[in-house]
Amino acid sequence: MSGAGRIDAVRDVGPRRWAVAVAGALLGLVLATTHWIGFLVGGALVALPQRTVPRGIVTGTGFGVLVWGAFLATLALDGTAAGYVGMGQVFYLSVAIPVVAAFLGSLVRGLG
Amino acid sequence: MDRDLTRRALVGAVVGGGIGAGFLSPVRGYLRRFAPFAGDVWGAARRDLPGTVPSPYGEAALRYDDYGVAHVEGGNERALYFAVGYAQAADRLFQMDLQRRQMRGELSAVVGDLAVPSDRFHVAMDFAGAAEATWEGARGTETGEVVEAFVDGVNRYVEDEPLPLEFRLLGYEPDPWTGTDVMLGEKQISWGLTGSFRTLRKATVAAEIGQETAEQLYPYRMDHDAPIIRDGVGEFDAEASAAEAPPAAVDPDLLSRLSGFESPPGVGSNSWVVSGEHTESGQPILANDPHLTLMAPPVWYEMNLATDDLSVRGVTFPGVPFVIIGENHAGAWGVTNTGTDVIDFYRYDTRNGEYRYGDGWREFETESRTIAVADGEDREVTVRKTVHGPVIGAESDGDDLVGEVGVAWTGFSATKTVDAVRRMSHSDGVDSFREALRDFDLPPQNMVYADREGNTLYYVTGRHPRRYTDGEPVRGTRVFDGSEREGEWPGYTPYGESSWEGFVPFEEKPHVENPGYIGTANQRIVDDDRYPYYLAEAYGEPFRGRRLWERLDRRIGSDDPVTPGFVRDLQCDAYDKRAELFVPTILAARETIDDDLDPELDRLEAWDYRMTRDSRAALAFARFVEHYRRDVFAPRLREALDDRRDVEEYFPNDWVLLHLDDEDWFPEGRDAAIATAFEKAVEEIESNDWSVYGDYNVTAIDHPFGQSWLRYPRYPTDGSKATLNNFRKDAAVGASWRQVVPVGDGESGAVLPGGNDGDYFSDHYDDQLGLWADGEYRTFSREITGTTAVTFGGGEDS
């Protein structure tokens, strides 16, 4: 089976699609803890198994939001979330980075 | 097919462009710092102390209490101060490094061109050289060994633990801490308290407008009856005379360059001690609140320290190991700035890299230094020195103005203040405390002390030069002719060990043994006809001093003994003596003021002169004084002075302003000036929609970075520049620490204008600011409490 054929096989089966997406999200998350490229990679890996391009973009971007939420949760556990939210432009930038990067990554769903 | 291809190409270009931008463009820096999880700055949000830290000096424990105050116990003194160094680095490392960089002239290396003027000044003054000389003198002494343990503690933290947020934002790592850096801290605070260029400004006004005007604006003494020492010193003839000096205007470029680096306006303090004879408990009560720059984090760091032989709690400057203001097992102490004169200026005849000194010519001692500039071109600075100290100057443009001066300052010499401060912590009572003060070389301070035996003490600290011209003592109120060897300081060696032999002897410094009560608020120390030596070119305005004496006299003359409650109330007293002096004058000018402003004047008439946040009259008076000052001085000074000068730098103090009634300053009469200023004040109040003083008088305490999220919250508060509850909104100066200690009996109270932890993410970043703004206190006890954060020990030598 060709590469495209394999992707199609994944996209056609719901449980398989979501399993791959979750695995992609975990990989992206792990990567994101060491480098921002993880948001982009995660966005792409989550988007690729989706059946349509718009779904891919929504899911990929959702990955960015989810990872940002995880980040906020770790700060909350450290007791520093309130300070983080009060950081003005730095806060907005840190929200934008995972969302925009994951969105960019999700666009690869449009490649085929 | 073509459409698919185009879409794919477009998507590929967008994704590829995004990745490229992330790796190659300036966006890369933002991603590296702020990306969630991996961004550099987030390490600062997850700083946890490690629990155990090896120490080569022995066992110690660091605890933090409910206000983030460090409580440190050590098995011996060096183990203790290793842990103190570690704690200060954990809580204030960036502040310590910033101060060090400022004094060394190394700010530009991390913040760029913006700081080049500051670096040029600090390099030219070679404060670092003075600190090195001081450390050379301390190294190998008992105090030097303790300082080394402290330095090792700082460096242990720097090596092992995540750096604070500010380093991550600026993208640099601090150099190792050194003994010289500790001494640099002493130089920094000393310069902030004594580095005044008033002599140069006064000389300029004398040359440009006339000697009489210079005396009027900058009087040698203000006529009041509230000196610190009111009696008991004796009658003397003044030793030093004010020799006539030819007028010499100082180059405006030089003065404007220097004015940014002198003691900020409003720096002062209050302190007083009341002996047990006048207190309810029969034990002394001591109070102190130094008025320094209010900033985030605060200038002071609070700590509570204990070994088997030591128990001391109080505040220090971050980077300095020892408690400077506080209490120990035997007594309590506090300081205010004397304002005495330990700096002089010299001009020289020069030729080809030489200056004339007496009958001979000497080469300037020169050294070329490089100022590193982040994202900019490095700068070269030539440091030049004479026998007096460093030479600072502006580019000469060929006029007759004084374009460069040599500077003599006691702080350029090796000093022993750090040793003296350590010995203060160890003192066992008034005698050993007084002995420690012998080596408190700089800055000159009004020290008040009380011990558990009931002794009280007032003593002026610091080395005070006696200046000589042709063998005759002279005052340091003019720019001296260094080539003619005027104003020499026998016993002074800049950047080396001074013998201090020609200075005012310790026993002859102003002091009072066992005063029943005594108060200091930067006013004149003693009347000149009661003391032989020249001490000061000028003292602080007496408004606070008069109020302090008034309330202490009244209470002690009454049937009510002094209590800690009374002392706290006095420390937060908002009665403004300026208003008492001048509101009647404003009301007397009522006829000239617009009738529409009658309600404002009625409120002034009914006012109790307290600068409280709920007062409308306080608001009107505060804004009136600002407009009145500008209206009175700016026009004439602008006309008389070189247009390159910032006339506001030449405005005299409010004592002078509010006593002035001279047609030279009021061409249309004083009442007309009052009316104009009052109308401007009301207009300003209405346009800003302020209704009471607290709408305007709001804390504005900021972090050096300037980002709004690092600022402390804003709170309305009481007080003015002239009240005991000291708050100078325009200059962000005020009570930088409030401390009230019933010595040996009762609970001490204290508060910081902010929080003890400089970490933005900490709960203790600003947790005391609300208390401070409301004039409240928290408990200040020498009991070691709190949760253990770090235990030290198990190092190679322990």
Side-chain angles (χ1 to χ4, degrees), chain B residues 148-176:
Chain B
E148 280 175 347
F150 171 86
V151 166
D152 287 346
V154 173
N155 289 330
R156 179 58 52 88
Y157 181 87
V158 173
E159 285 162 19
D160 295 350
E161 298 305 319
L163 290 173
L165 180 68
E166 294 91 336
F167 290 102
R168 296 160 183 271
L169 289 169
L170 285 173
Y172 81 96
E173 293 181 5
D175 294 332

Short mmCIF file of all heavy atoms in Angstrom, two decimals, chain B residues 148-176:
data_model
loop_
_atom_site.label_atom_id
_atom_site.label_comp_id
_atom_site.label_asym_id
_atom_site.label_seq_id
_atom_site.Cartn_x
_atom_site.Cartn_y
_atom_site.Cartn_z
N GLU B 148 33.54 36.13 52.74
CA GLU B 148 33.84 35.09 51.75
C GLU B 148 32.82 33.95 51.81
O GLU B 148 32.42 33.41 50.77
CB GLU B 148 35.26 34.55 51.96
CG GLU B 148 36.29 35.49 51.36
CD GLU B 148 37.73 35.07 51.64
OE1 GLU B 148 37.93 34.19 52.50
OE2 GLU B 148 38.62 35.65 51.01
N ALA B 149 32.39 33.60 53.01
CA ALA B 149 31.36 32.55 53.13
C ALA B 149 30.06 33.01 52.48
O ALA B 149 29.39 32.25 51.77
CB ALA B 149 31.12 32.21 54.61
N PHE B 150 29.71 34.27 52.70
CA PHE B 150 28.50 34.84 52.08
C PHE B 150 28.62 34.77 50.55
O PHE B 150 27.69 34.35 49.86
CB PHE B 150 28.35 36.29 52.55
CG PHE B 150 27.28 37.07 51.82
CD1 PHE B 150 25.96 37.02 52.24
CD2 PHE B 150 27.59 37.85 50.72
CE1 PHE B 150 24.97 37.73 51.57
CE2 PHE B 150 26.61 38.57 50.04
CZ PHE B 150 25.30 38.50 50.47
N VAL B 151 29.78 35.18 50.05
CA VAL B 151 30.02 35.18 48.59
C VAL B 151 29.89 33.75 48.05
O VAL B 151 29.26 33.53 47.00
CB VAL B 151 31.41 35.77 48.30
CG1 VAL B 151 31.84 35.47 46.88
CG2 VAL B 151 31.42 37.27 48.57
N ASP B 152 30.43 32.79 48.77
CA ASP B 152 30.31 31.39 48.33
C ASP B 152 28.86 30.94 48.29
O ASP B 152 28.46 30.16 47.42
CB ASP B 152 31.11 30.47 49.26
CG ASP B 152 32.62 30.63 49.05
OD1 ASP B 152 33.00 31.23 48.03
OD2 ASP B 152 33.39 30.17 49.91
N GLY B 153 28.07 31.42 49.26
CA GLY B 153 26.65 31.07 49.28
C GLY B 153 25.92 31.63 48.07
O GLY B 153 25.10 30.95 47.46
N VAL B 154 26.23 32.88 47.72
CA VAL B 154 25.62 33.48 46.53
C VAL B 154 25.99 32.64 45.31
O VAL B 154 25.13 32.29 44.48
CB VAL B 154 26.10 34.94 46.34
CG1 VAL B 154 25.59 35.51 45.01
CG2 VAL B 154 25.65 35.82 47.50
N ASN B 155 27.26 32.32 45.20
CA ASN B 155 27.72 31.60 44.00
C ASN B 155 27.19 30.17 43.93
O ASN B 155 26.98 29.64 42.85
CB ASN B 155 29.24 31.63 43.92
CG ASN B 155 29.73 33.03 43.57
OD1 ASN B 155 29.04 33.78 42.89
ND2 ASN B 155 30.92 33.40 44.05
N ARG B 156 26.96 29.58 45.11
CA ARG B 156 26.38 28.23 45.09
C ARG B 156 24.99 28.28 44.45
O ARG B 156 24.62 27.45 43.65
CB ARG B 156 26.31 27.67 46.52
CG ARG B 156 25.69 26.28 46.63
CD ARG B 156 26.43 25.23 45.79
NE ARG B 156 27.86 25.21 46.05
CZ ARG B 156 28.47 24.50 46.98
NH1 ARG B 156 27.75 23.71 47.75
NH2 ARG B 156 29.77 24.55 47.13
N TYR B 157 24.24 29.30 44.81
CA TYR B 157 22.91 29.43 44.22
C TYR B 157 23.03 29.67 42.70
O TYR B 157 22.34 29.04 41.91
CB TYR B 157 22.12 30.59 44.87
CG TYR B 157 20.75 30.68 44.25
CD1 TYR B 157 19.70 29.93 44.75
CD2 TYR B 157 20.52 31.47 43.13
CE1 TYR B 157 18.45 29.95 44.16
CE2 TYR B 157 19.27 31.50 42.51
CZ TYR B 157 18.25 30.74 43.04
OH TYR B 157 17.02 30.76 42.43
N VAL B 158 23.91 30.58 42.32
CA VAL B 158 24.04 30.94 40.90
C VAL B 158 24.43 29.72 40.07
O VAL B 158 23.91 29.51 38.97
CB VAL B 158 25.08 32.08 40.72
CG1 VAL B 158 25.35 32.33 39.24
CG2 VAL B 158 24.60 33.35 41.40
N GLU B 159 25.32 28.90 40.63
CA GLU B 159 25.80 27.73 39.87
C GLU B 159 24.73 26.65 39.76
O GLU B 159 24.63 25.98 38.73
CB GLU B 159 27.02 27.14 40.57
CG GLU B 159 28.29 27.97 40.36
CD GLU B 159 29.36 27.61 41.39
OE1 GLU B 159 29.28 26.53 41.99
OE2 GLU B 159 30.26 28.46 41.59
N ASP B 160 23.94 26.46 40.81
CA ASP B 160 23.08 25.27 40.87
C ASP B 160 21.62 25.50 40.52
O ASP B 160 20.93 24.55 40.18
CB ASP B 160 23.12 24.67 42.29
CG ASP B 160 24.51 24.14 42.65
OD1 ASP B 160 25.35 24.09 41.74
OD2 ASP B 160 24.73 23.82 43.82
N GLU B 161 21.13 26.70 40.65
CA GLU B 161 19.68 26.89 40.59
C GLU B 161 19.25 27.70 39.37
O GLU B 161 20.05 28.44 38.80
CB GLU B 161 19.21 27.59 41.88
CG GLU B 161 19.49 26.78 43.13
CD GLU B 161 18.90 25.38 43.07
OE1 GLU B 161 17.75 25.23 42.58
OE2 GLU B 161 19.59 24.42 43.47
N PRO B 162 17.98 27.55 38.99
CA PRO B 162 17.48 28.32 37.84
C PRO B 162 17.57 29.83 38.10
O PRO B 162 17.32 30.28 39.22
CB PRO B 162 16.02 27.89 37.73
CG PRO B 162 15.86 26.70 38.59
CD PRO B 162 16.94 26.73 39.61
N LEU B 163 17.90 30.57 37.08
CA LEU B 163 18.04 32.02 37.24
C LEU B 163 16.67 32.69 37.28
O LEU B 163 15.71 32.21 36.68
CB LEU B 163 18.84 32.59 36.07
CG LEU B 163 20.32 32.23 36.06
CD1 LEU B 163 20.98 32.72 34.78
CD2 LEU B 163 21.04 32.81 37.27
N PRO B 164 16.57 33.81 37.97
CA PRO B 164 15.31 34.56 38.01
C PRO B 164 14.89 35.07 36.63
O PRO B 164 15.69 35.13 35.69
CB PRO B 164 15.62 35.74 38.94
CG PRO B 164 16.80 35.30 39.73
CD PRO B 164 17.58 34.40 38.86
N LEU B 165 13.65 35.47 36.58
CA LEU B 165 13.01 35.88 35.33
C LEU B 165 13.78 36.94 34.54
O LEU B 165 13.91 36.86 33.31
CB LEU B 165 11.62 36.45 35.72
CG LEU B 165 10.71 36.95 34.63
CD1 LEU B 165 10.25 35.80 33.76
CD2 LEU B 165 9.49 37.65 35.25
N GLU B 166 14.29 37.94 35.24
CA GLU B 166 14.90 39.08 34.54
C GLU B 166 16.12 38.66 33.72
O GLU B 166 16.34 39.20 32.62
CB GLU B 166 15.30 40.17 35.54
CG GLU B 166 14.12 40.84 36.25
CD GLU B 166 13.74 40.17 37.54
OE1 GLU B 166 14.05 38.95 37.69
OE2 GLU B 166 13.13 40.83 38.41
N PHE B 167 16.91 37.74 34.24
CA PHE B 167 18.06 37.26 33.47
C PHE B 167 17.59 36.59 32.17
O PHE B 167 18.21 36.71 31.13
CB PHE B 167 18.88 36.25 34.27
CG PHE B 167 19.61 36.85 35.44
CD1 PHE B 167 19.12 36.71 36.72
CD2 PHE B 167 20.78 37.56 35.24
CE1 PHE B 167 19.79 37.26 37.80
CE2 PHE B 167 21.47 38.11 36.32
CZ PHE B 167 20.96 37.96 37.60
N ARG B 168 16.47 35.89 32.27
CA ARG B 168 15.95 35.16 31.11
C ARG B 168 15.38 36.13 30.08
O ARG B 168 15.49 35.90 28.88
CB ARG B 168 14.87 34.18 31.58
CG ARG B 168 15.44 33.12 32.52
CD ARG B 168 14.35 32.48 33.36
NE ARG B 168 14.93 31.52 34.30
CZ ARG B 168 15.14 30.24 34.03
NH1 ARG B 168 14.83 29.75 32.85
NH2 ARG B 168 15.67 29.45 34.93
N LEU B 169 14.78 37.20 30.58
CA LEU B 169 14.24 38.19 29.64
C LEU B 169 15.38 38.91 28.91
O LEU B 169 15.28 39.22 27.73
CB LEU B 169 13.37 39.20 30.38
CG LEU B 169 12.02 38.67 30.88
CD1 LEU B 169 11.36 39.67 31.83
CD2 LEU B 169 11.09 38.38 29.71
N LEU B 170 16.44 39.21 29.65
CA LEU B 170 17.57 39.92 29.03
C LEU B 170 18.54 38.96 28.34
O LEU B 170 19.37 39.39 27.53
CB LEU B 170 18.34 40.73 30.09
CG LEU B 170 17.65 42.01 30.55
CD1 LEU B 170 18.41 42.63 31.72
CD2 LEU B 170 17.55 43.03 29.42
N GLY B 171 18.44 37.69 28.69
CA GLY B 171 19.28 36.71 28.01
C GLY B 171 20.74 36.75 28.40
O GLY B 171 21.61 36.71 27.55
N TYR B 172 21.02 36.86 29.69
CA TYR B 172 22.42 36.77 30.11
C TYR B 172 22.50 36.07 31.46
O TYR B 172 21.49 35.92 32.15
CB TYR B 172 23.08 38.15 30.17
CG TYR B 172 22.80 38.96 31.42
CD1 TYR B 172 23.68 38.95 32.50
CD2 TYR B 172 21.66 39.73 31.52
CE1 TYR B 172 23.43 39.69 33.64
CE2 TYR B 172 21.40 40.48 32.65
CZ TYR B 172 22.29 40.46 33.71
OH TYR B 172 22.03 41.19 34.84
N GLU B 173 23.72 35.66 31.81
CA GLU B 173 23.95 35.01 33.10
C GLU B 173 24.90 35.87 33.92
O GLU B 173 25.81 36.48 33.37
CB GLU B 173 24.55 33.62 32.89
CG GLU B 173 23.58 32.67 32.22
CD GLU B 173 24.18 31.29 32.03
OE1 GLU B 173 25.32 31.06 32.51
OE2 GLU B 173 23.51 30.45 31.41
N PRO B 174 24.70 35.92 35.23
CA PRO B 174 25.56 36.77 36.05
C PRO B 174 26.96 36.19 36.22
O PRO B 174 27.13 34.96 36.23
CB PRO B 174 24.83 36.82 37.40
CG PRO B 174 24.05 35.55 37.44
CD PRO B 174 23.67 35.23 36.03
N ASP B 175 27.92 37.08 36.35
CA ASP B 175 29.28 36.65 36.70
C ASP B 175 29.28 36.20 38.15
O ASP B 175 28.40 36.57 38.92
CB ASP B 175 30.27 37.81 36.53
CG ASP B 175 30.40 38.22 35.08
OD1 ASP B 175 30.20 37.35 34.21
OD2 ASP B 175 30.66 39.41 34.81
N PRO B 176 30.29 35.43 38.55
CA PRO B 176 30.37 35.03 39.96
C PRO B 176 30.43 36.26 40.88
O PRO B 176 30.97 37.30 40.51
CB PRO B 176 31.68 34.25 40.04
CG PRO B 176 31.92 33.78 38.64
CD PRO B 176 31.37 34.85 37.75
#
